[in-house]
Amino acid sequence: MKREVAVDDLKKLYTAGDMARVGCNGCQGCCDCCRGMGSSVVLDPLDIYRLVRGLQMDFSGLMEKYLELNAVDGVVLPNLQMASEKECCGFLNEEGRCAIHAFRPGLCRLFPLGRYYENGTFRYFLQKKECRMEPKTKVRISKWLGEPELKKYEAYILAWHNLLEEIQELLAGEKDEQLAKDMSVYLLNSFYIKGYRMDEEFYVQFEERREQMEKLLSVLKRK
């Protein structure tokens, strides 16, 4: 998801091996980033894979209770729904703690970091004004993310970002509204609704689906 960021936040960019001031004492007494986030916590396919496995609930079940669909840069994607009058994440428990912390979405793992994409790769930046917890301690970004296969994860994140950008560029100049709708439906079915094999590695399954999508995009570009 593209968003505007403060110029000052981009003055220092990090790799996963760098230290950054993101430590917040386990968020003790604070859950601000789990409230009032609107539709900004967009989920990628790995998030759905982990939620389905962790909650033993399929995509339709997640949609009934925890998720909603919104257009993101011209493409319809699922995001965490802010529920009730308190506008809080449906996974926030009564103690103000994340009930799915072990398999929380990637954007939740990343916060208060963001990703800056350039030259075919990305680096991390610190969103300095997004988290009120102080003082913050330095933590190695790889540890903060908590991804057991970080290289595979970062390669996947880049591939997913590039795929979405390719779809968005294709649709940007497209006057056929039906094509845009059909593309969103195909994307949702291919990467979210269609179940993943829980006994097999996610990244391999994602790559299979990404290749199929690339074939479709190649056909559409030739038209």
Side-chain angles (χ1 to χ4, degrees), residues 5-12 126 128:
V5 298
V7 174
D8 286 346
D9 288 352
L10 298 178
K11 286 182 178 179
K12 186 168 184 179
L126 181 61
K128 297 175 182 178

Side-chain angles (χ1 to χ4, degrees), residues 1 33-34 37-44 47 67-68 78-82 89 105-108:
M1 179 180 68
C33 61
C34 304
M37 300 303 289
S39 60
S40 66
V41 187
V42 179
L43 304 180
D44 62 48
D47 294 332
L67 313 181
E68 62 184 6
N79 60 266
L80 290 183
Q81 181 182 142
M82 297 294 114
C89 173
L107 286 183
C108 301

Side-chain angles (χ1 to χ4, degrees), residues 157-179:
I157 287 295
L158 185 59
W160 179 240
H161 170 82
N162 290 341
L163 180 62
L164 290 180
E165 279 213 328
E166 190 175 357
I167 294 171
Q168 289 157 0
E169 288 175 6
L170 177 67
L171 297 178
E174 182 57 55
K175 297 180 180 179
D176 186 349
E177 294 183 3
Q178 189 60 47
L179 176 61

